[in-house]
Amino acid sequence: LIALWGGAVVSAFVPSSTKGAGTGNSPPRVVPPPARRADSPPPPSRVVLGSGSGTLEEDPLADVRTSYIEVSRQYRRTRYTHDDWLKHRSPDRFLSNLAEFSTSGIYRGILKEVGTVAAIASFVVLWNIFLGEGWTDSAGIHHDTFGLPLLKLPLTPFTLASPSLGLLLVFRTNSAYRRWDEARKAWGLVINNSRNIARMGAAWINEPDEEVRQRKLDRLAKCIWAFPRSLARHMESPYTGEADYVADLRDRLDPEHADGLIQAAHRPNRALFDLATAVNDLSMHSLRRNEIDKSIVVLGDQKGASERLFSSPVPLFYTRHTARFLTIWMLLLPLGLYDSFQSMNHIGMIPCAAVLALFLFGIEELAFQLEEPFSILPLVGYSNTIGDNALEMIQWRNIYDYDPAKREMDR
């Protein structure tokens, strides 16, 4: 218990961003994926660890990347349907959430912190009853011990510090959620403008040769899909997901087109260039082409917004101060709770401290999980939806356009 307490005190001053980081010398641990609810969306068809520009053996953060909390992030890429919303607001949701308490990825990710607080609480109780004030047996007889000083603190300092800690945690979680919301809105604009490009291209193309028309629109649809798929890959680790990306490009694009994207240093930029050239190849009035180009500019803006969110975390000094404040507050809390539990030799303080640690550390863990939103957003799913929509739109024809020759005369 003393060793656990000492390790917990040291960990309070270690930046949270390095929590669980390995040295890279130990072999990678393969962690089985978490249990998935029957009504949750299926996991990605291919999850390749160690594919890409490097392997897990070369990855200095292999232990962290293959940990349960990191592997489980892929199962949080939810896309709701009508049935999902019905289950989400079901009256049985309270019992269902309690039943899945032990399988929560958030709670399993903070077991060390909660266990440390519970160990300190146990140590305080055992010290005080066996070495300090003694204990009372089931018959109500008090047994004195060595009379050593008690390990306890007044509860007033914790009461005074609680509002400040609450404000720090609220700001931390709000900032993290705003980042998630901004990332989702950025990808919403990617989806909307990709559809706009496909719609305007299919409706405005003026190509009398049907074969040439279809070839140009097919190229446009492929380029529309390639941009969000490349941007999704751009947001992933270089050690994961490369095999999926290459396989998807080989499956949906022409070999030369796929090779150009794979070999590009900045793949979203190359995909955006290919999309611009595909639009420029469409036969239409220059004013209409300019309107399509406005949507391409929006895609570039959202690419920059995604890169900004990914490369700029919440200021580290704020994150570390909040983590240190919370850690020290929780590690010392058992000393302040000791006098509040007079019955049963103060044993009730142990589960109370553990539950408080579970919920407060859980709030901080939620902020960390939301702060980098791209690995919990279904970006590949969004990309495939964009691609499917584009392929459908380029097949549409104007149902009132009975006479193509007359249409040319009217123009």
Side-chain angles (χ1 to χ4, degrees):
L1 293 178
I2 293 176
L4 284 174
W5 179 81
V9 172
V10 173
S11 66
F13 298 95
V14 176
S16 298
S17 60
T18 64
K19 182 174 63 175
T23 61
N25 297 325
S26 57
R29 294 179 288 107
V30 179
V31 180
R36 185 169 57 88
R37 292 174 51 180
D39 59 344
S40 62
S45 58
R46 294 186 299 270
V47 180
V48 181
L49 292 177
S51 62
S53 60
T55 63
L56 285 180
E57 289 74 13
E58 302 169 349
D59 186 3
L61 296 177
D63 288 343
V64 181
R65 204 179 309 280
T66 56
S67 64
Y68 179 90
I69 193 67
E70 288 298 322
V71 174
S72 64
R73 286 175 67 84
Q74 61 183 299
Y75 298 98
R76 300 192 180 114
R77 300 168 185 168
T78 52
R79 300 183 70 188
Y80 264 32
T81 63
H82 184 268
D83 291 342
D84 293 322
W85 281 112
L86 289 178
K87 296 173 184 177
H88 182 72
R89 57 177 177 261
S90 169
D92 299 330
R93 63 185 182 274
F94 301 103
L95 294 177
S96 175
N97 290 332
L98 288 177
E100 297 169 355
F101 197 93
S102 61
T103 61
S104 169
I106 296 294
Y107 296 151
R108 292 184 65 172
I110 58 173
L111 287 180
K112 291 181 180 178
E113 290 85 347
V114 176
T116 301
V117 172
I120 292 175
S122 302
F123 178 78
V124 169
V125 171
L126 294 176
W127 175 282
N128 289 342
I129 66 175
F130 288 114
L131 300 177
E133 63 182 0
W135 77 93
T136 303
D137 60 22
S138 58
I141 301 174
H142 183 77
H143 301 269
D144 293 326
T145 54
F146 297 96
L148 295 179
L150 298 182
L151 297 179
K152 64 178 183 178
L153 291 172
L155 195 57
T156 303
F158 298 94
T159 304
L160 294 176
S162 295
S164 300
L165 178 60
L167 288 175
L168 286 173
L169 289 176
V170 167
F171 181 81
R172 180 81 177 90
T173 52
N174 284 349
S175 299
Y177 176 77
R178 279 197 298 269
R179 292 171 58 84
W180 180 91
D181 186 56
E182 188 174 353
R184 182 60 187 90
K185 289 177 179 177
W187 272 81
L189 288 174
V190 170
I191 294 172
N192 295 342
N193 283 275
S194 298
R195 290 169 175 167
N196 288 340
I197 294 172
R199 173 183 55 81
M200 290 185 288
W204 291 349
I205 186 172
N206 183 20
E207 182 59 60
D209 190 323
E210 182 63 26
E211 182 179 351
V212 175
R213 178 184 190 277
Q214 193 60 45
R215 176 176 56 80
K216 291 183 177 181
L217 289 179
D218 284 342
R219 178 190 173 195
L220 177 67
K222 292 176 181 179
C223 291
I224 290 174
W225 169 82
F227 171 72
R229 184 64 184 91
S230 298
L231 183 57
R233 176 69 190 100
H234 189 59
M235 296 292 106
E236 291 181 313
S237 164
Y239 295 94
T240 60
E242 180 71 9
D244 288 351
Y245 175 73
V246 173
D248 288 344
L249 293 188
R250 299 293 186 196
D251 182 54
R252 302 186 68 148
L253 302 181
D254 299 330
E256 185 178 357
H257 189 179
D259 289 339
L261 282 172
I262 294 171
Q263 296 170 8
H266 195 288
R267 289 162 172 174
N269 281 345
R270 175 57 192 266
L272 211 57
F273 170 81
D274 292 339
L275 178 57
T277 58
V279 170
N280 192 58
D281 192 41
L282 299 179
S283 303
M284 63 176 62
H285 196 280
S286 59
L287 294 179
R288 289 181 168 178
R289 190 179 295 110
N290 289 341
E291 288 299 316
I292 299 178
D293 190 65
K294 291 179 182 178
S295 291
I296 298 179
V297 171
V298 174
L299 294 183
D301 292 340
Q302 303 317 308
K303 170 178 63 66
S306 298
E307 291 176 330
R308 171 177 55 82
L309 287 172
F310 189 81
S311 61
S312 304
V314 174
L316 295 180
F317 55 84
Y318 182 89
T319 300
R320 291 169 180 171
H321 176 71
T322 303
R324 289 163 182 160
F325 191 162
L326 174 61
T327 303
I328 294 175
W329 195 89
M330 282 306 313
L331 293 179
L332 296 178
L333 183 62
L335 303 176
L337 291 177
Y338 183 77
D339 282 339
S340 300
F341 294 86
Q342 296 294 331
S343 61
M344 298 180 62
N345 295 310
H346 307 268
I347 294 178
M349 185 263 288
I350 301 174
C352 178
V355 171
L356 288 174
L358 184 72
F359 292 134
L360 290 178
F361 279 120
I363 293 174
E364 196 220 13
E365 183 66 25
L366 285 173
F368 271 102
Q369 294 299 314
L370 284 170
E371 187 176 5
E372 191 276 281
F374 299 103
S375 56
I376 57 174
L377 285 173
L379 302 185
V380 176
Y382 296 154
S383 304
N384 292 334
T385 298
I386 292 171
D388 294 341
N389 292 162
L391 288 175
E392 181 185 19
M393 289 181 182
I394 64 172
Q395 304 300 326
W396 293 345
R397 297 292 186 272
N398 184 359
I399 60 175
Y400 299 104
D401 189 9
Y402 301 107
D403 189 353
K406 182 178 182 300
R407 180 186 63 180
E408 285 299 317
M409 291 175 56
D410 294 339
R411 290 187 177 181

